[in-house]
C-alpha cells in the first residue's frame, strides 16, 4: 500500500494570504495524484487531478504541482469559503488518501 | 441534474449486515466504473470497493475483502454495497463515487453506518 503523508496537519492562514499544502508518497505515483476539499458534513470535492489539472468549476486560485513522490497544493489568496480540510489521494495503484490538512483562519 | 444518492445506512449490531444503495442520475451510468469510499467519524478517507462498467470486475480493500460485496444494476442506474460481518471499525459515513480507481469528481452525500451493540 502506498502511504500518503500530508503536512502540516493544521495550517493557520489569514484571508487573502497564500496557503501551501504538502503531500508526500511513500513511493513514486507519477502524476496520479488528486486533491480534495472537504467541509464539515459534506462530501469531498475534487479540486485537482493529474497532479496539476483543475477540475471543472474550480477557481484559478487553486493550483497543484509535483510528480513522483512530492506534491503541493497552493491556494494563492485564501477566501472565506476555502477554510476546510484538504486531502490528497494517489491513484497510481489501489487508491489511498493522506490524513488531511486543516486550513483554519488565523 | 447529475447526482448520486445513497441510502441504506443505519445502526446495526456487530456481526450484522446491511445493503447500501447508490442511485445515479444525469449521466450514462452504464459507461462508468463506480466506487464506495468511507470515512470513519473524525477520520480520513478509505477507498473501499470499485466495480467496472459492466459489473464483471470488482475490487476491494483488504480491510473488507470477503465481507463486503459490490454489485450494480445498470437497468436501474443503481449500484450496491452488501456489507456483512460488520465490526465496530466499519462504523463510518459511506460515500458512493463516480470513479474507477482514480480521481472522483462526483460524490453522493453519504450514508452513515453505525456498528454498535
Amino acid at each position: 500500500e502506498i502511504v500518503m503523508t500530508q503536512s502540516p496537519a493544521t495550517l493557520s492562514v489569514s484571508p487573502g494570504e497564500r496557503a501551501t499544502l504538502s503531500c508526500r508518497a511513500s513511493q513514486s505515483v507519477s502524476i496520479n495524484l488528486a486533491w480534495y476539499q472537504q467541509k464539515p458534513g459534506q462530501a469531498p470535492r475534487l479540486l485537482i487531478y493529474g497532479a496539476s489539472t483543475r477540475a471543472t468549476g474550480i477557481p484559478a486560485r487553486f493550483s497543484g504541482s509535483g510528480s513522483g513522490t512530492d506534491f503541493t497544493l497552493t491556494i494563492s489568496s485564501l477566501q472565506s469559503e476555502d477554510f476546510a480540510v484538504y486531502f490528497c489521494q494517489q491513484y497510481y495503484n489501489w487508491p489511498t488518501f493522506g490524513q488531511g490538512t486543516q486550513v483554519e483562519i488565523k | 441534474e447529475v447526482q448520486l444518492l445513497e441510502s441504506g445506512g443505519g445502526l446495526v449490531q456487530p456481526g450484522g449486515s446491511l445493503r447500501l444503495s447508490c442511485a445515479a442520475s444525469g449521466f450514462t451510468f452504464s459507461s462508468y466504473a463506480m466506487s464506495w469510499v468511507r470515512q470513519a467519524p473524525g477520520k480520513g478517507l478509505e477507498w473501499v470497493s470499485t466495480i467496472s462498467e459492466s459489473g464483471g470486475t470488482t475490487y476491494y480493500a483488504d480491510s473488507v475483502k470477503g465481507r463486503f460485496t459490490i454489485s450494480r444494476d445498470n437497468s436501474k442506474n443503481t449500484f450496491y454495497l452488501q456489507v456483512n460481518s460488520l465490526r465496530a471499525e466499519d462504523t463510518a459515513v459511506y460515500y458512493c463515487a463516480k470513479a474507477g480507481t482514480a480521481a472522483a469528481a462526483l460524490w453522493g452525500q453519504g450514508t452513515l453506518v453505525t456498528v454498535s451493540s
Side-chain angles (χ1 to χ4, degrees):
Chain A
E1 173 181 305
I2 297 176
V3 177
M4 307 301 292
T5 303
Q6 292 186 242
S7 61
T10 304
L11 185 62
S12 298
V13 186
S14 299
E17 289 187 340
R18 173 187 295 257
T20 302
L21 289 67
S22 295
C23 176
R24 175 166 289 178
S26 60
Q27 65 184 75
S28 176
V29 299
S30 185
I31 58 168
N32 296 293
L33 191 286
W35 289 95
Y36 299 85
Q37 176 194 71
Q38 188 177 35
K39 297 179 180 179
Q42 295 184 16
R45 173 194 181 197
L46 178 66
L47 301 175
I48 301 286
Y49 63 93
S52 62
T53 302
R54 275 190 302 278
T56 302
I58 301 304
R61 64 180 181 272
F62 292 92
S63 63
S65 63
S67 65
T69 61
D70 291 299
F71 301 89
T72 300
L73 175 69
T74 301
I75 312 171
S76 59
S77 177
L78 271 159
Q79 306 298 301
S80 57
E81 61 267 29
D82 299 336
F83 292 96
V85 179
Y86 292 82
F87 293 97
C88 62
Q89 174 215 359
Q90 66 77 22
Y91 49 93
Y92 181 77
N93 53 24
W94 184 254
T96 52
F97 294 88
Q99 79 281 14
T101 290
Q102 171 83 54
V103 177
E104 64 176 27
I105 300 174
K106 185 174 181 180
Chain B
E1 182 183 2
V2 178
Q3 65 177 2
L4 299 171
L5 187 62
E6 299 101 334
S7 60
L11 174 63
V12 60
Q13 292 187 336
S17 299
L18 285 172
R19 189 175 82 155
L20 309 182
S21 300
C22 178
S25 59
F27 63 96
T28 305
F29 177 71
S30 59
S31 295
Y32 293 90
M34 303 296 293
S35 297
W36 290 94
V37 180
R38 68 183 180 183
Q39 186 170 36
K43 302 296 184 182
L45 297 157
E46 180 185 17
W47 202 278
V48 173
S49 184
T50 295
I51 188 166
S52 64
E53 295 85 337
S54 68
T57 304
T58 58
Y59 308 89
Y60 298 94
D62 287 343
S63 58
V64 306
K65 206 170 291 183
R67 300 187 298 123
F68 290 11
T69 302
I70 192 170
S71 61
R72 67 190 294 161
D73 185 340
N74 286 345
S75 69
K76 295 182 178 180
N77 289 349
T78 302
F79 74 113
Y80 309 93
L81 188 68
Q82 178 70 40
V83 296
N84 298 332
S85 303
L86 283 163
R87 308 165 180 167
E89 55 265 34
D90 296 317
T91 294
V93 174
Y94 285 72
Y95 295 102
C96 60
K98 174 174 167 275
T101 52
L106 180 65
W107 297 66
Q109 84 290 351
T111 187
L112 176 62
V113 172
T114 303
V115 184
S116 175
S117 55

